[in-house]
């Protein structure tokens, strides 16, 4: 089955700086890669996703890049703000998300004011 | 946007009792819903895939007789933890599939 690894497990960034979180996956059949933000005691919220026919996607301060050959994808947050502090999870799925998600281990991001 | 609710948000039960958690898609229909479990400071682990009108598909290592899933309508799936034990204490999260997975807010189960 699919295995998703995520690094780093914790990340502290000065407010205004950029944060990068990286994930690798094992199943070459995976073609949907979402990123979720989870705040304490809440369910995960989708912040951005990318499908395997695209190499990069951007939404305001958030961007995701995908390297299918190397089987890794990354989340980039620019101009970080205190409200970006949360746990971030990457995930992978086949069938463009219509199948189950396999989650990474999570990254606790702390933005230092 | 699509909204998924869960009820209850928190529940405390005694060891040996059963507890039911509901997952509802409020403004869309979902043929498929997923149930995840999340232990403190850990990732989400899929427990089972729930399909409306058919039996749920459980992940390896998840006891189907302990975690009963019913997906009786296109907007409601329920997870019943039977004969709960302290090790079942966890954060249970559902998601409903409609082009993408929309997650509920989670249910914190504490078994005493």
């Amino acid at each position: 089955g699919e295995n998703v690894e995520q690094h780093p497990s914790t990340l502290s960034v000065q407010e205004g700086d950029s944060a990068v979180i990286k994930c690798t996956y094992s199943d070459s059949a995976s073609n949907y890669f979402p990123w979720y933000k989870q705040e304490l005691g809440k369910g995960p919220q989708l912040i951005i996703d990318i499908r395997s026919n695209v190499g990069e996607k951007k939404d305001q301060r958030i961007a995701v890049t995908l390297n299918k050959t190397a089987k890794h994808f990354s989340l980039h947050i620019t101009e970080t703000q205190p409200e970006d502090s949360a746990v971030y999870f990457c995930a992978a799925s086949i069938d463009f998300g219509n199948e189950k998600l396999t989650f990474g281990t999570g990254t606790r991001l702390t933005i230092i004011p | 946007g699509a909204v998924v609710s869960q009820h209850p948000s928190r529940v405390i039960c005694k060891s040996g009792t059963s507890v039911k958690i509901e997952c509802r898609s409020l403004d869309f229909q979902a043929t498929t819903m997923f149930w995840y479990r999340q232990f403190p400071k850990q990732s989400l682990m899929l427990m089972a895939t729930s399909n409306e009108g058919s039996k749920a598909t459980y992940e390896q290592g998840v006891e189907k007789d302990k975690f009963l899933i019913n997906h009786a309508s296109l907007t409601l799936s329920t997870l019943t933890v039977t004969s709960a034990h302290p090790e079942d204490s966890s954060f249970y999260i559902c998601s409903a599939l409609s082009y993408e997975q929309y997650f509920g807010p989670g249910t914190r189960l504490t078994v005493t």
Side-chain angles (χ1 to χ4, degrees), chain A residues 34-37 45-49 59 62 75 77 88-89:
Chain A
W35 285 90
Y36 294 90
K37 176 182 181 182
Q45 283 192 308
L46 179 71
I47 56 172
I48 196 167
D49 59 12
D59 183 5
I62 296 174
L75 176 71
I77 305 175
Y88 291 80
F89 290 97

Side-chain angles (χ1 to χ4, degrees), chain B:
Chain B
V3 178
V4 175
S5 69
Q6 281 184 242
H7 178 79
S9 58
R10 289 176 176 270
V11 58
I12 300 173
C13 69
K14 292 186 177 180
S15 187
T17 62
S18 296
V19 61
K20 180 186 286 187
I21 302 169
E22 293 185 349
C23 176
R24 292 182 186 273
S25 56
L26 298 185
D27 49 1
F28 65 100
Q29 294 182 331
T31 303
T32 302
M33 292 184 176
F34 299 91
W35 286 95
Y36 296 85
R37 179 167 53 183
Q38 185 178 33
F39 291 108
K41 296 187 178 182
Q42 293 189 24
S43 188
L44 285 78
M45 298 299 294
L46 180 68
M47 299 176 65
T49 301
S50 168
N51 291 296
E52 187 268 339
S54 63
K55 290 184 179 181
T57 303
Y58 290 81
E59 294 301 297
Q60 191 172 7
V62 178
E63 300 174 57
K64 63 178 182 180
D65 295 330
K66 181 172 180 61
F67 298 99
L68 301 178
I69 291 172
N70 187 298
H71 193 157
S73 79
L74 289 172
T75 59
L76 173 64
S77 177
T78 60
L79 168 67
T80 301
V81 183
T82 63
S83 186
H85 290 99
E87 56 265 31
D88 298 324
S89 298
S90 188
F91 194 49
Y92 291 86
I93 307 171
C94 71
S95 70
L97 181 62
S98 175
Y99 182 65
E100 68 181 63
Q101 286 192 35
Y102 295 93
F103 284 83
T107 296
R108 173 78 55 197
L109 170 63
T110 303
V111 184
T112 60

Side-chain angles (χ1 to χ4, degrees), chain A residues 4-55:
Chain A
V4 178
E5 296 188 356
Q6 182 172 345
H7 299 280
S9 56
T10 61
L11 179 61
S12 293
V13 173
Q14 206 72 32
E15 182 179 355
D17 288 350
S18 297
V20 180
I21 303 171
K22 298 182 179 182
C23 287
T24 60
Y25 61 99
S26 61
D27 189 349
S28 57
S30 290
N31 54 21
Y32 176 67
F33 308 94
W35 285 90
Y36 294 90
K37 176 182 181 182
Q38 187 179 30
E39 298 178 340
L40 190 63
K42 297 183 179 180
Q45 283 192 308
L46 179 71
I47 56 172
I48 196 167
D49 59 12
I50 192 167
R51 289 172 167 78
S52 62
N53 54 348
V54 176

